[in-house]
Amino acid sequence: MARTACVVGVDIGTTTVKVCATDERGHELAVVRADTPWRLAAGTTVLGHEDLSGTLDGLFRQLADRLPGRHALAVGFAGMAEAGYALAADGTPVAPAVAWFDTSGADELAALLAEQGDGFTATTGLRPTTRASAVKVAWLLPRLDGRSASSAGPRTRTAASGTRSGPTGKAVSWLNVPEWAAHWAGGRATAEWSLAARSGFMDVTAREWWKHGVDRVGLDPAAMPELLPAGSPTGTARAGLPLVGGAVVTVAGHDHLAGAIGAGAVHPDDCFDSLGTGEALIRSRPATKNPGLLTQAVAAGFERGPHIVPGRDYLFGVLGTGRLLRALLDDRLGAERTLADVDALGRAAALLSATGRAAECAVTLGSAARPMAPLDPAAVVAALHGLPDAEAWAVLVELTSWRCRDAIGLLDALGGPGNALIAAGGWYTSGYIRAVRARVLGSVRLPVGAEAGACGAARMAALACGLIPDLGTWIDDWTEFTAS
């Protein structure tokens, strides 16, 4: 590798977009960030493709300014799943991406379940919720031509062209947000297994598009992009892009999975805890062709699909911890709080014992022995009302740590005993949260690098351009926390 070369990873997250450059051994050279440019349109949170491309272009320029003389060999794009762009036949988005956390689509979900029942989970490995892209697309496309979901009739395809007839016949295919970003940068329009698996359009055991699922929402199965595993080279970045122009382009997968790889959770039995905007737990298992294992995972509160580690599936569970922590801080410290405010609250909480109160709160919220049961942030804030700020914080950090511990126990029951617990995410910057987690969970490894998701995307980029032969050859540095 040339002395001035690097690889670049992009993580398009729910809160921020991160771009990281690393050297050939995976050491961070520089990281730049910007807020994810959501906007509100008619009461729906959306991400316009031009807003996203402008943010990415600006971040590449910032990174190039910080690394004069460097050039990228490859760039990988990871990010949030479920949100994406319905595309016209020429590849142009016909509408903004609807946020994955938007709750629109309840009627469409009910119609899907009435038709498919357990077949949806047995095919896609997903819990039936409005997060799935298939539900969002079923909700969105009829509204592009002013029809309501209930009045949207069946779609027809013209025999001559393969395009759809009728007033809403513009959208024919789909790309998740990171897939579209990789295409914008210069790669071919391709879909990646782990992202596609979150859409509800993929038969995850066959690793191919679920044609009925695609067709039923009004897209064209024949127009859907090629499905490839993460780290597959899809072209080269446009010459005009700062730093990455001419680099190999790859889609690096779902951000939580990229975070696991960036943090060093590359071994089969490693458990990865991603404690950022929400909280996700990930374990890998051998890839399966048994739909029964998909429904078994969902029954336990998890989802299953293709990992970005070759030959593996993921077990993926969402705890939502970050939203709960943020809601309490908003209530007690206000939206303008600083990191110093949170640290001070943690120091005060560390002087208290929260065990009894946390147990009471778990019963009140219906969370005792039900770690995967979703908790409403407003209900959590209400349950802690009347407690002093430090005690409320101590109770919530204790309670959410217990939920994480119990969820890891469920993963062990599904996949056998785990190996190392490797964690990342912004909430682990809190010394108080680290201390409680170490006491409740045992030894926790945190990567030295600041942005696990972007680092994981860079790692997949290194794989795509042949810089590393496999994911296990990149050196990982951790700080290990244990109970004092």
Side-chain angles (χ1 to χ4, degrees), residues 1 6-9 20-29 74 258 261-267 452 454-465 467-478:
M1 176 178 175
C6 62
V7 288
V8 172
C20 169
T22 76
D23 66 15
E24 73 278 13
R25 295 172 63 83
H27 298 130
E28 283 185 8
L29 299 171
I261 298 307
V266 298
H267 301 293
C455 185
R459 196 169 191 157
M460 300 307 296
L463 187 69
C465 70
L467 182 62
I468 57 175
D470 57 67
L471 295 175
T473 58
W474 204 326
I475 295 175
D476 294 299
D477 294 322
W478 293 297

Side-chain angles (χ1 to χ4, degrees), residues 112-126 128 291 294-295 298:
L112 173 65
L113 295 181
E115 175 192 308
Q116 291 292 321
D118 292 340
F120 176 77
T121 289
T123 302
T124 66
L126 299 177
L294 306 184
T295 55
V298 169

Side-chain angles (χ1 to χ4, degrees), residues 38 47 49 80-87 93-100 131 133 136-137 140 173-180:
W38 300 106
L47 179 61
H49 69 283
M80 56 184 153
E82 291 101 11
Y85 297 102
L87 305 177
V94 301
V98 178
W100 62 265
R131 286 186 178 184
S133 308
K136 288 290 193 295
V137 173
L140 174 66
S173 67
W174 170 266
L175 287 174
N176 282 290
V177 164
E179 297 164 344
W180 181 86

